[in-house]
Structure formats: structure tokens, C-alpha cells
Amino acid sequence: ALDRAVVAEDQIRTVVETFKKRLFTEIFPGRTDVPKTLIFAKDDSHADDILRIVREEFGKGDEFAVKITYKTTGRKPDELLRSFRNAYNPRIAVTVDMIATGTDVKPLECVFFMRAVKSRTFFEQMKGRGVRVIDAGDLKLVTPDAAGKDRFVIVDAVGVTESDLSET
């Protein structure tokens, strides 16, 4: 409940540390490449905090994790999105709403909620980013240690899946 009203960096760090610790043992056992992961933040400032902490915790450089929002600086959002779809890096993208609907990122294997969602329709669209089907060979081009995509994982750090969502 605290994180819905205030951004607590220690809480973000705990969530990211836990994700990293369980990634290759419980979430994607036997893998070594971080699966393409999309993290939903509550606003642009929150996205910046998450991005910084992800980069610190994983220690893999700026190309490993990027922010893709309308307020992205440097590379254009479309260019970042194209790389997220088609290249090895970035492995993790942090967004607010830009990739929430209508964006196809087939190699996405992990949808990570670090923001509340109230609308059932919006939640279904956000969750839907992970359901895209991809040929095993195409997935291997961006995630070499993936045998194929037969599932995607939702990481819910804020209780979206347990809350009552409104019909809109």
C-alpha cells in the first residue's frame, strides 16, 4: 500500500534483488540469459528509479536495461523498441504506458508489474504483451539459451492480480 502513494527506493531494490535471485532458479530454471522482460512503472520518475536500480543490481551496463517512454532521452522510443524486439540487448525495458497496448514484442517472456492497475481491460492489454507467439528459431536470435516460448511469466510486485479490477 505504501508504494501506491510513495516511491520507496529500498522497496524497488528489494523487488529487483528478489527477481534477480529467483530468475534462474525458480522463474526460468536452467537459463542464463535474462529473458526479455517488460517492467511497468507508475510514472516517468518511477521508471527512472527502477531503471537505475535494475542497472545497479544486474551490473550489465546501460544497454542491458532501457526506459521506453514518451519522455525517453537520447535514442528515440521507436528505435529502443525495435532493439527490444529484434536484438539481444536490451534485456529489460521499463515503461509506463507506451508499450501497454498495441505493441508487439514477440520475444517478451516476462511481464513485470510495479504499478497498480484499476481497469480490467487495461490490465488484460498489459498482460497481453507476453502472450505473443514466436518461432523457436526467431526467439533464439534474441535469447540464445531459450529452447522456445511455451509460456510467459507475470511478476506482480504490487498485487494487481489480487485486486478487484473495474469493468470499463
Side-chain angles (χ1 to χ4, degrees):
L2 173 64
D3 195 52
R4 291 182 184 123
V6 180
V7 172
E9 287 196 22
D10 287 348
Q11 188 175 23
I12 295 169
R13 188 169 307 280
T14 298
V15 168
V16 172
E17 283 175 348
T18 303
F19 174 67
K20 181 183 173 195
K21 186 186 313 180
R22 295 182 176 178
L23 186 59
F24 299 125
T25 57
E26 295 173 41
I27 304 171
F28 289 93
R31 301 266 296 266
T32 55
D33 291 316
V34 173
K36 292 283 186 167
T37 300
L38 180 61
I39 300 176
F40 288 107
K42 60 180 143 193
D43 58 34
D44 204 67
S45 175
H46 188 226
D48 287 335
D49 293 339
I50 293 169
L51 179 64
R52 180 177 41 77
I53 291 168
V54 164
R55 285 176 173 170
E56 289 169 5
E57 290 301 319
F58 280 88
K60 297 198 182 244
D62 291 354
E63 71 283 346
F64 173 79
V66 297
K67 179 176 82 167
I68 305 176
T69 68
Y70 294 109
K71 295 182 179 179
T72 299
T73 57
R75 292 171 61 194
K76 292 185 166 125
D78 289 343
E79 181 184 333
L80 291 167
L81 188 54
R82 193 169 29 259
S83 293
F84 189 50
R85 268 189 199 112
N86 302 317
Y88 181 79
N89 277 320
R91 303 308 302 163
I92 297 175
V94 183
T95 192
V96 179
D97 292 332
M98 186 173 168
I99 308 176
T101 62
T103 303
D104 200 14
V105 182
K106 291 180 180 181
L108 188 63
E109 294 183 85
C110 187
V111 178
F112 198 139
F113 289 92
M114 291 187 76
R115 64 163 282 177
V117 180
K118 295 186 183 345
S119 162
R120 179 173 309 286
T121 302
F122 193 46
F123 172 68
E124 291 298 327
Q125 290 173 336
M126 294 167 86
K127 184 173 71 170
R129 302 308 95 210
V131 301
R132 302 301 197 256
V133 177
I134 186 170
D135 176 75
D138 291 339
L139 180 60
K140 279 191 163 302
L141 292 174
V142 297
T143 307
D145 73 346
K149 182 177 176 181
D150 58 0
R151 68 186 179 105
F152 76 100
V153 173
I154 295 173
V155 176
D156 182 4
V158 294
V160 175
T161 59
E162 299 168 357
S163 60
D164 291 330
L165 301 174
S166 63
E167 300 295 335
T168 54

